[in-house]
Amino acid sequence: MTKPNTLIFVDLASDDPSAAGAFYAQVFGWENDARPEGVYHRMVPGGFFKKPDGTDSEIGNLHLGIFKAANARPHPEPEGVEPRGLSTEGRKPRIWVLISDDDSADRILGTAEALGATLLWKNHYWKEFNGYNHAFRDPWGNEIVLWGKAGPDPQIPTDYTRE
């Protein structure tokens, strides 16, 4: 194999993709592209990955899907198969979202909580990757980790935990 396989999409489960699409549109400002409404929603963040000089590259930002847990599409069986419920116990994949330069963790977390999310933790600095991070669980049990750039000479607030 000369080229690696390419990650193209990540999906989150929901028992109400319409509500989940509206949630992520409000929390992150993403376009809620229902395809079709209530069955599968593609969340389109817009914009492009940046080049080192800060200009847009030709690579569009990744999209996120939200599928209906009761009948996850696509699938060869039109009625879907078990399991049909949301996973509520144990560890599951986490989605990492870079905080835009014109947004803030406080605004994102406040909006998410007002819409039914649960704050998991906030105000943590991870030296290994030089970033500030915070996390919440959406109303469907999916975990979202926010990432803020710390910069070349990070000034870590005293109330932040560190590792």
Side-chain angles (χ1 to χ4, degrees):
M1 182 170 57
T2 58
K3 289 184 179 180
N5 297 297
T6 303
L7 174 67
I8 59 168
F9 229 74
V10 173
D11 286 341
L12 298 178
S14 173
D15 57 3
D16 187 349
S18 296
F23 173 89
Y24 283 100
Q26 286 184 285
V27 171
F28 292 117
W30 297 340
E31 177 187 343
N32 179 10
D33 182 21
R35 304 188 60 177
E37 176 70 39
V39 175
Y40 190 86
H41 287 239
R42 180 177 70 155
M43 303 311 298
V44 183
F48 294 86
F49 282 99
K50 300 292 183 189
K51 295 178 182 177
D53 67 2
T55 62
D56 286 344
S57 75
E58 61 284 347
I59 303 167
N61 284 325
L62 300 176
H63 297 170
L64 176 76
I66 301 171
F67 69 93
K68 189 169 189 169
N71 189 357
R73 309 307 312 151
H75 194 280
E77 297 294 327
E79 301 305 315
V81 296
E82 295 295 333
R84 295 181 186 276
L86 298 173
S87 176
T88 58
E89 300 298 321
R91 290 283 182 208
K92 52 187 133 183
R94 298 182 301 177
I95 304 299
W96 292 72
V97 176
L98 179 64
I99 301 166
S100 172
D101 290 340
D102 64 352
D103 205 350
S104 72
D106 288 339
R107 198 234 23 108
I108 293 168
L109 294 171
T111 302
E113 283 187 289
L115 295 172
T118 302
L119 179 66
L120 298 175
W121 43 270
K122 66 180 189 173
N123 299 346
H124 181 72
Y125 174 72
W126 194 4
K127 182 179 180 179
E128 183 68 26
F129 293 98
N130 191 32
Y132 304 121
N133 40 81
H134 324 268
F136 66 87
R137 182 177 298 116
D138 76 12
W140 302 275
N142 301 296
E143 292 186 14
I144 309 300
V145 180
L146 303 178
W147 187 267
K149 300 176 217 171
D153 183 26
Q155 303 301 308
I156 301 128
T158 58
D159 64 330
Y160 274 50
T161 55
R162 304 156 193 244
E163 68 178 281

